[in-house]
Amino acid sequence: GRVLEPACGEGPFLRAFREAHGTGYRFLGVEVDPRTLDLPSWAEGVQADFLLWEPGEAFDLILGNPPYGALGAGARLSPERRKAYRERFATWWGRYNLYGAFLEKGVRLLKPGGLLVYVVPAGWMVLEEFQRLRAFLAREGALEVFYLGRAFPGLKVRAAVLRFRKGGKGLRLYDAEALGQGHPPLLLLEEPAWQGEMVRFPHEEALTLEREGLPLGEVFRIHFAARSPEVKAHPLTQTRPGPGLVPVLTGRNLLPGEVDYETPHSGLYFPKEAAGLLKPFYATPHLVVGHTRHYRVVAAWDGQAYPWREEFHLLPKEGVRLDLEALVAYLNGPEIQAYYRGLYREVVPHLTRPMLERLPLPKDLVSAR
Ligand SMILES: C[S@@+](CC[C@H](N)C(=O)[O-])C[C@H]1O[C@@H](n2cnc3c(N)ncnc32)[C@H](O)[C@@H]1O
C-alpha cells in the first residue's frame, strides 16, 4: 500500500508506522518548508503546500499531525492563498482552521476503503465553523474519535485522534483520556446513523435534564454582544467617563448572579440612555450568559440594561413568564455545571450558541402564557 504523511517535517509518523508494521509499503511525505523536510532514504519527500498539492494518485493510508490555526481574517495568510484555499475546500466555514482543510484534503486523497489517522484539536466536535466538516466526514465514511483531552504538553488545546475509513458509515466515540496511564480507549458512544451533529459525550443525568426540561433556545431569543470594533467605531462611544455615560461592560463585569456595573474593564463609556442604539436588545433588562468561562456557565440578570461588549444576551420570547431569581440561581448552580461538563467535557473553553440553545430549563421555572 501507499502511505502518506502530510506536513511531515522529518516524518515521525512514517517512521513509527514502519517500525510497527514493516517495510512492505511505499512511503511518501509532503512538507511545505524545505528546511524541515528531512525524510529517510526509504521515503519519498515532496516539497509542496499539501492543501494545494495534486498528486494524481490516491492513498491507502494517510497519517499525521496536521498544523492548526485559524485561516480567516487576521490569520497570517496572503489574500491570494486564502482565496485559493477557500475555492478548494467545500468544508470551509467562518474563520475555519488549517486542520479542517487538512482533514478534507486527506479524505479526498484516500482510496475507497482507505484509512486516515490524524491527531487534531478537538474543537471540530462541537464548534459551528466545523459543521460542514462534520457533515462531510459523515457523508464520506466511518469515523472513530479517540478523545485525548489535554494531550499537547504546555498547550491549552484539547486533542483527539481521528480514525476515518473512507466509504463506511457512522460515528464511534472513545474515551482515551487515560491512555497515558495505561488504560485502553473505552467505547462511549456508537451512532450508526451519524450525520455530522455535534459530538457530545453521553451523560445520563445531562440527557435526562434535556428530556425533561425546556431548551433555553425555545424560551429566549439569543443574541451575541456588539463586537469590540463595532463598539469602538460607534460615534457615541467615549474613552473617558462623563455625565450620562456608563462603562461598556465586558465578561469581567459578569459575575454568577450579579452584574458589576462600576468597574470600567473595557475603558469605554457609552450614554446609558442610548444603549439600545448600540444593539436594540441592550435597551431592555435581560439575561446575560458568559461566552468563555473555561468550562463553566455563568449568568446574571442585567436589570439596568447597560451597553455590553461581550457575552450572550437573552431576551425572553413573547408571552414567556420566568421565575427570574430561581432561573439565575439554577443556571449558576451545580446541576448545570455538571450538565455542561458531562456533555462537553473540556472540548472547547467556550459555551457556543448551539450548546446554549439546548441547555435545559426545568418547566417550573418557565411558563408560557
Ligand atoms: C506537524 S505540523 C503541526 C504540528 C503542531 N500540531 C502545530 O500546529 O504546530 C508542523 C509542520 O507542518 C508544516 N506545514 C504547515 N503548513 C503546511 C502546508 N500547508 N503544507 C505542508 N506542510 C505544512 C510545517 O512546515 C511544519 O513542518
Side-chain angles (χ1 to χ4, degrees), residues 312-357:
F312 289 108
H313 299 267
L314 288 77
L315 282 87
K317 289 190 180 173
E318 196 79 356
V320 165
R321 277 193 311 188
L322 304 165
D323 180 343
L324 253 189
E325 216 167 296
L327 174 71
V328 168
Y330 167 78
L331 289 173
N332 290 298
E335 218 175 351
I336 276 300
Q337 307 307 330
Y339 161 87
Y340 183 32
R341 272 204 66 95
L343 288 180
Y344 304 104
R345 294 211 186 170
E346 295 189 345
V347 168
V348 287
H350 25 265
L351 179 68
T352 66
R353 183 192 297 267
M355 292 180 195
L356 193 54
E357 279 167 354

Side-chain angles (χ1 to χ4, degrees), residues 166-181:
K166 191 165 179 171
K169 224 178 140 31
L171 169 80
R172 281 180 185 192
L173 174 64
Y174 296 83
D175 186 347
E177 284 203 80
L179 212 56
Q181 290 90 264

Side-chain angles (χ1 to χ4, degrees), residues 7 9 30-33 36 48-51 65-68 85 98 102:
V30 181
E31 168 58 57
V32 73
D33 180 357
T36 53
D49 179 340
F50 176 66
L51 298 178
N65 169 212
Y68 56 91
Y85 288 167
L98 262 173
F102 266 74

Side-chain angles (χ1 to χ4, degrees), residues 51 71 82 84-108 118 124 127-140 164 194-196:
L51 298 178
L71 287 170
R82 180 173 304 132
Y85 288 167
R86 194 189 280 272
E87 283 168 1
R88 271 172 185 77
F89 295 103
T91 59
W92 188 292
W93 177 278
R95 299 169 65 222
Y96 212 40
N97 199 297
L98 262 173
Y99 75 84
F102 266 74
L103 267 163
E104 179 180 336
K105 180 79 181 190
V107 168
R108 291 193 188 282
Y118 277 177
W124 67 272
L127 294 174
E128 274 179 296
E129 65 229 56
F130 295 98
Q131 234 170 338
R132 281 188 190 160
L133 177 71
R134 292 194 300 265
F136 171 80
L137 293 173
R139 236 178 7 250
E140 293 289 321
F164 176 87
W194 186 61
Q195 296 192 330

Side-chain angles (χ1 to χ4, degrees), residues 198-253:
M198 270 200 279
V199 181
R200 312 196 303 169
F201 294 90
H203 188 270
E204 213 32 66
E205 292 84 47
L207 296 175
T208 304
L209 278 185
E210 283 192 354
R211 267 194 304 275
E212 293 174 355
L214 276 176
L216 196 64
E218 272 182 27
V219 181
F220 288 91
R221 260 178 249 293
I222 303 178
H223 304 273
F224 201 73
R227 310 265 171 182
S228 187
E230 193 180 341
V231 180
K232 282 196 182 137
H234 199 283
L236 294 176
T237 301
Q238 304 292 322
T239 52
R240 285 170 196 286
L245 298 177
V246 294
V248 175
L249 304 182
T250 78
R252 295 174 70 191
N253 295 91

Side-chain angles (χ1 to χ4, degrees), residues 5-10 12-13 30-37 46-53 64-69 81 85 98 102 119-121 152 155:
E5 180 176 353
C8 64
E10 297 175 3
F13 286 78
V30 181
E31 168 58 57
V32 73
D33 180 357
R35 289 162 308 175
T36 53
L37 177 60
V46 175
Q47 195 234 310
D49 179 340
F50 176 66
L51 298 178
L52 304 179
W53 178 61
N65 169 212
Y68 56 91
R81 185 154 296 230
Y85 288 167
L98 262 173
F102 266 74
V119 55
V120 291
F152 299 129
L155 296 182

Side-chain angles (χ1 to χ4, degrees), residues 181-201:
Q181 290 90 264
H183 297 284
L186 180 71
L187 179 64
L188 295 178
L189 180 75
E190 220 172 337
E191 299 264 19
W194 186 61
Q195 296 192 330
E197 298 85 355
M198 270 200 279
V199 181
R200 312 196 303 169
F201 294 90

